[in-house]
Amino acid sequence: MKKLIAIDLDGTTLNVQSLISEKTEKTLQKAIAQGHYVSIATGRPYRLSHQFYRQLKLDTPMVNFNGGLVHIPEKTWENERASSVDREIVFDIISQKKALNLDFVAAENKETFFIDTFDHFDEKFFAAEATEKNLLNAQNLTTDPTSLMLCAPRELVGGISDTLMNQYGDHLDIRTWGGAMPILEVVSKGIQKAKGVAEVADYLNIKQKDIIAFGDEHNDEEMLEYAGWGVAMQNATDHIKSVANDITDQTNDEDGLADYLANYLSLN
């Protein structure tokens, strides 16, 4: 029976160096060769994840921005979908930047990004250079973005999320990023990885019971619950482990996904 293998990137498929190991790559390629589908479901924008899509030689739809964007990279696809965050909310959050103790506010869509200050800009993190056209202001941001990134001191992220949900909970969903930086990922209300994975499964004619999903962080919760078999990484948060059907024996830095999948699909 064909499976849809939905894979988170940071903390799951990627090791601590933010790379896909040779073992994990070969294991996923074996799964594809046996007729299964692999689909990336990440909070990252496409520009920060396209290299992994190409490395794995995928042709399946991809989920970016925690479900905010579902597309087939470098192709025109009639089912492509992008959600949006009201730009007025973006500037309202920026007006509270000091009170919220935010380091920066970034707004993103499929093609580009905007950031409110270059003081904390990191070319490696954004995988791009920035010019005045990337400044997050009313002149440059003329449409509703797909997603926001809010960076703040790690110890304050939880409280900031609670504050913003109290203000905008009817309009937004907020998740923590599983990467190295303390980031809050903000998308439109009701947008989750599970929604994106469901759209991918429908396109590929894969039933819900035949989806296996791997994740480690809070933005993976709904995806693991939705999948027929949700697997938490050994390095996952306690909460994610509690909602998963199973837990890998090894961490993301020990090829935990590869070992689990090889056993689960009898790839060896």
Side-chain angles (χ1 to χ4, degrees):
M1 184 65 67
K2 287 186 177 181
K3 301 287 186 182
L4 170 58
I5 306 159
I7 56 172
D8 168 53
L9 289 178
D10 295 282
T12 301
T13 308
L14 307 185
N15 58 25
V16 296
Q17 296 174 315
S18 293
L19 299 172
I20 298 178
S21 72
E22 182 179 0
K23 179 177 181 178
T24 295
E25 178 182 349
K26 287 183 176 179
T27 300
L28 290 169
Q29 288 292 343
K30 279 185 180 180
I32 293 169
Q34 288 195 5
H36 304 293
Y37 298 108
V38 173
S39 179
I40 292 172
T42 178
R44 290 184 177 215
Y46 178 57
R47 70 174 187 282
L48 290 175
S49 49
H50 66 85
Q51 69 270 37
F52 306 118
Y53 187 91
R54 291 169 181 163
Q55 179 182 351
L56 295 174
K57 300 179 177 63
L58 302 181
D59 58 7
T60 49
M62 183 176 189
V63 179
N64 289 106
F65 299 121
N66 289 326
L69 173 65
V70 183
H71 63 124
I72 297 180
E74 301 178 5
K75 290 185 179 180
T76 299
W77 182 42
E78 62 181 7
N79 295 330
E80 180 170 323
R81 174 189 59 75
S83 64
S84 60
V85 174
D86 190 327
R87 68 190 291 272
E88 291 187 10
I89 293 179
V90 178
F91 294 114
D92 196 30
I93 291 175
I94 291 175
S95 73
Q96 303 177 64
K97 179 181 175 181
K98 185 175 181 180
L100 291 169
N101 290 293
L102 298 176
D103 292 332
F104 68 74
V105 178
E108 305 181 277
N109 55 38
K110 183 180 180 180
E111 302 298 336
T112 191
F113 68 92
F114 305 91
I115 187 168
D116 75 308
T117 175
F118 293 148
D119 290 346
H120 296 275
F121 182 75
D122 183 335
E123 287 187 6
K124 291 183 178 179
F125 178 74
F126 281 87
E129 296 181 354
T131 70
E132 294 298 313
K133 293 181 179 180
N134 296 106
L135 273 176
L136 179 50
N137 54 39
Q139 179 181 350
N140 289 335
L141 184 67
T142 59
T143 61
D144 295 337
T146 300
S147 175
L148 300 181
M149 280 197 309
L150 312 178
C151 182
R154 188 174 301 278
E155 66 275 12
L156 300 180
V157 164
I160 294 169
S161 177
D162 291 342
T163 297
L164 293 176
M165 284 303 292
N166 286 334
Q167 293 184 59
Y168 309 110
D170 292 338
H171 306 284
L172 305 176
D173 271 327
I174 302 174
R175 296 288 188 272
T176 53
W177 181 52
M181 290 182 69
I183 295 287
L184 289 173
E185 298 168 328
V186 183
V187 291
S188 179
K189 188 69 176 178
I191 296 300
Q192 308 153 348
K193 287 186 181 183
K195 178 177 175 60
V197 170
E199 292 170 23
V200 174
D202 183 62
Y203 172 71
L204 297 173
N205 293 314
I206 297 293
K207 295 180 180 179
Q208 184 177 353
K209 67 180 181 65
D210 293 318
I211 301 171
I212 176 172
F214 291 85
D216 72 304
E217 267 285 355
H218 288 70
N219 60 345
D220 299 311
E221 178 177 355
E222 293 86 358
M223 179 175 72
L224 297 193
E225 290 179 327
Y226 168 77
W229 194 253
V231 183
M233 300 301 295
Q234 182 59 232
N235 51 283
T237 65
D238 289 341
H239 180 68
I240 292 302
K241 289 179 178 179
S242 74
V243 303
N245 296 104
D246 204 358
I247 303 169
T248 65
D249 289 333
Q250 307 295 331
T251 69
N252 64 309
D253 203 40
E254 300 167 323
D255 295 307
L257 182 153
D259 286 342
Y260 190 98
L261 195 62
N263 182 64
Y264 186 83
L265 296 178
S266 301
L267 298 177
N268 295 324

